[in-house]
Structure formats: structure tokens, C-alpha cells
């Protein structure tokens, strides 16, 4: 799952909770598609190559369905963050992570039922994408069709998503769903994400925080020193992911507003090629 902000007021914390149930959510999507595909097969009494692959589908590359999952996950967060105002940082969340997962998966099932009832081709596209992963052209074509369909189904995501938002990261570590934990090739060959760098970054960020680094400037300077300037666009995402993690005591952590302001200055420095030594100087401005 790609954890990031998709609209003004989005919640990284809820995104992290969804990330932890990513495998379960993808299994629900696949099971819905299998049930619908089998029903259609019984109606027309025709069995295809996809039918055989479907019945043997014990594991699949999660990235073939990542976009579909993440659009629905963002729609759930928009519904709750903006409409119900339950999951904003300014208001304590009255629900436990387990309750939030339950709300999310119920929303997912209802969305799938709605989508499948209006788009009869979707179960076939989902199974084709999972059964024929990249570089198979059949799977790539199905992925593209799913992408275009979700853009039409969730136009508000496109309108609210900030193209300048760089703070997103795939935290699922390129695992297959339902099988061994392996690292397959990128589902999209032109992927903009360096998974090794991001995984190292998230791990290192957590280690620094646990060691007592609770100031954003100190954290940013240390991260850049260890991983280089390439890590700059992801620093705020890691930092806010730590803030959202319930196992961490975030008291004394640089505030959300100050962290964002320092992060924006870092990106400006990154764009204009200024010295990374200026990172620590942010502390003087607080």
C-alpha cells in the first residue's frame, strides 16, 4: 500500500492502520472477484484459461491491485475524515485501531458490491491482472483498464490530490499476498519509487526516534547524513508515520505545523541545490 496524503485533511494515521490490514483487504478484493467470476461462469456454462488460473490462484503480486485498493482506501478516509470528522489530528479518535479496521473492511465490501453491480467487467479485470502479472501484456492491459475505471469512479480523488505531494511510501515491502515473502519485479516498469531506499529510510527513522531524536531538524539532518539528499522528499511521511504509530510515545515531538514548515524549507533547499548543512539551522527559527 502507498501511504500518503490524497486530499486536504487526509490522515496518515488512518492510512497506517489500513496499511496493517493491506493483505486482508486485497484478499477480500480477490475473493469478491472470484465469486462473481464463478457465478458468471455457471450462468453461461463456459470455462476459460482464466478459470483454471483463478482456481489455482494461491498467491499473487500485490502491486497488480495496489492502485484499486489505494483508491478505495482513500475514499474511505475522505468519507470519515471530512464528513464524520472522526479521524483528524485535532480531535482524539474515539475508536481503537481494530474498530477502524472493521469500519474500513465493511466499507470495502460495500464499495466492491456497488462497483461490481455497475461494472460487470471488473471481476474479470481483477483476476486477469492478478493471474497475468507484468510483463504479461494481458495483465498490464487489465491494470490499465482498472486504473482508468477507478479514475472515473473516484473523480474527487483526482481533484483533491496534490501533484506536489511527495511524502508517500510503499510500506508493504514488495510481498506477494498469500504466498512466500519474495520481492518480485516492479509491477509498473516506470515506477518512481526506490523501494530499498524507502524501506531503509522508514527503518532508520523509527530507530532514531526510539533513540530519543524527537526534533524534526535533528532527525532530518541525521537522515540526510546517513542516506543522502534523495531521502528528502520522504522525510515528512516517515515522521508523521511515526507520530501515528500507537506504540510510540510522541510527547515532545516537533508539532505537525512546525514539522511541515521545516520540511517545506528542506524541499525548497533541495530544489535550489543549497547545502544540506542548512538543515540544522532550522532549529534557530523556532
Amino acid at each position: 500500500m502507498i501511504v500518503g496524503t490524497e486530499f486536504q485533511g487526509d490522515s496518515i494515521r488512518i492510512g497506517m492502520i489500513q496499511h496493517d490490514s493491506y493483505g486482508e483487504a486485497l484478499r477480500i478484493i480477490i475473493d469478491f472477484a472470484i465469486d462473481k467470476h464463478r457465478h458468471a461462469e455457471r450462468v453461461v456454462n463456459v470455462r476459460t484459461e482464466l478459470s483454471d488460473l483463478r482456481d489455482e490462484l494461491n498467491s499473487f503480486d500485490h502491486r497488480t491491485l495496489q492502485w484499486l485498493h489505494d483508491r478505495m482506501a482513500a475514499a474511505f478516509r475522505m468519507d470519515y475524515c471530512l464528513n464524520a470528522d472522526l479521524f483528524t489530528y485535532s480531535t482524539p479518535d474515539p475508536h481503537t485501531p481494530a474498530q477502524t479496521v472493521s469500519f474500513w473492511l465493511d466499507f470495502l465490501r460495500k464499495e466492491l458490491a456497488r462497483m461490481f453491480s455497475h461494472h460487470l467487467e471488473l471481476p474479470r479485470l481483477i483476476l486477469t491482472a492478478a493471474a497475468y502479472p507484468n510483463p504479461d501484456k494481458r495483465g498490464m492491459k487489465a491494470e490499465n483498464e482498472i486504473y482508468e475505471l477507478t479514475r472515473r469512479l473516484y473523480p474527487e480523488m483526482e481533484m483533491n490530490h496534490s501533484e506536489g505531494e511527495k511524502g508517500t511510501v510503499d510500506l508493504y515491502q514488495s510481498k506477494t499476498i498469500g504466498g512466500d515473502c519474495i520481492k518480485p519485479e516492479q509491477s509498473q516498469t516506470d515506477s518512481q519509487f526506490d523501494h530499498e531506499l524507502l524501506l531503509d529510510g522508514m527503518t532508520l527513522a523509527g530507530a532514531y526516534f526510539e533513540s530519543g531524536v524527537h526534533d524534526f531538524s535533528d532527525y532530518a539532518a541525521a537522515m540526510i547524513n546517513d542516506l543522502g539528499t534523495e531521502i528528502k522528499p520522504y522525510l515528512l511521511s516517515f515522521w508523521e508515520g511515526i507520530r501515528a504509530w500507537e506504540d510510540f510515545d510522541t510527547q515532545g515531538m516537533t508539532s505537525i505545523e512546525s514539522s511541515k514548515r521545516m520540511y517545506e524549507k528542506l524541499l525548497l533547499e533541495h530544489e535550489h541545490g543549497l547545502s544540506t548543512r542548512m538543515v540544522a539551522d532550522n532549529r534557530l527559527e523556532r
Side-chain angles (χ1 to χ4, degrees):
M1 176 180 177
I2 303 295
V3 180
T5 55
E6 296 294 329
F7 53 89
Q8 188 68 31
D10 199 356
S11 171
I12 292 291
R13 184 169 59 82
I14 299 301
M16 294 293 290
I17 292 174
Q18 290 176 310
H19 155 259
D20 290 343
S21 62
Y22 183 47
E24 185 178 359
L26 284 185
R27 194 70 249 181
I28 288 173
I29 294 173
I30 282 289
D31 287 345
F32 260 70
I34 288 174
D35 288 345
K36 287 290 185 179
H37 194 261
R38 282 177 174 163
H39 175 74
E41 185 180 74
R42 289 193 299 269
V43 171
V44 299
N45 195 28
V46 173
R47 190 171 180 85
T48 65
E49 177 184 315
L50 183 59
S51 303
D52 295 332
L53 293 174
R54 175 202 67 203
D55 292 342
E56 298 171 1
L57 192 64
N58 296 318
S59 65
F60 57 93
D61 183 348
H62 77 97
R63 287 164 298 190
T64 58
L65 302 178
Q66 183 170 270
W67 175 264
L68 174 64
H69 169 278
D70 287 5
R71 291 292 90 180
M72 288 190 283
F76 168 77
R77 296 197 305 276
M78 177 175 281
D79 183 47
Y80 280 84
C81 291
L82 299 187
N83 296 337
D85 195 30
L86 295 177
F87 303 131
T88 60
Y89 283 117
S90 59
T91 306
D93 185 354
H95 303 110
T96 65
Q99 289 173 319
T100 302
V101 169
S102 179
F103 296 149
W104 153 230
L105 296 181
D106 284 346
F107 176 92
L108 175 62
R109 293 183 181 95
K110 292 175 182 177
E111 278 295 278
L112 287 170
R114 180 181 70 86
M115 293 166 65
F116 285 3
S117 66
H118 291 91
H119 301 277
L120 303 180
E121 75 280 16
L122 188 54
R124 173 181 55 80
L125 293 176
I126 290 173
L127 293 178
T128 301
Y132 300 101
N134 189 314
D136 193 300
K137 292 184 178 180
R138 290 169 291 185
M140 294 173 66
K141 183 176 183 293
E143 282 190 65
N144 288 335
E145 291 186 44
I146 291 172
Y147 170 75
E148 292 299 333
L149 178 59
T150 54
R151 288 190 64 184
R152 296 195 302 272
L153 286 171
Y154 302 108
E156 66 276 11
M157 293 295 114
E158 298 297 322
M159 291 187 295
N160 284 278
H161 181 61
S162 171
E163 293 298 329
E165 185 66 48
K166 302 294 185 181
T168 57
V169 55
D170 186 343
L171 296 172
Y172 202 71
Q173 305 178 28
S174 302
K175 294 179 181 178
T176 53
I177 302 300
D180 295 331
C181 296
I182 62 175
K183 185 177 181 182
E185 294 299 316
Q186 288 294 106
S187 178
Q188 300 295 334
T189 56
D190 61 346
S191 175
Q192 62 180 314
F193 300 107
D194 182 337
H195 288 268
E196 293 296 337
L197 175 65
L198 300 184
L199 180 57
D200 289 344
M202 190 63 187
T203 303
L204 191 60
Y208 272 126
F209 188 84
E210 288 188 303
S211 69
V213 180
H214 291 181
D215 179 89
F216 183 84
S217 292
D218 291 342
Y219 148 81
M223 291 285 285
I224 294 171
N225 182 62
D226 285 339
L227 298 175
T229 57
E230 294 81 4
I231 203 65
K232 278 188 179 182
Y234 310 105
L235 289 175
L236 186 62
S237 178
F238 296 155
W239 187 250
E240 294 306 325
I242 290 170
R243 193 191 305 278
W245 205 256
E246 60 180 3
D247 293 335
F248 286 140
D249 180 4
T250 58
Q251 187 173 7
M253 191 176 184
T254 303
S255 70
I256 297 172
E257 295 77 13
S258 295
S259 298
K260 185 176 181 181
R261 185 166 57 252
M262 295 175 187
Y263 170 71
E264 289 172 349
K265 182 180 179 182
L266 277 178
L267 291 186
L268 183 63
E269 293 170 359
H270 182 71
E271 180 181 349
H272 293 284
L274 301 181
S275 170
T276 57
R277 184 176 176 81
M278 295 180 66
V279 175
D281 293 341
N282 281 325
R283 296 187 65 186
L284 301 176
E285 298 184 8
R286 292 190 303 138

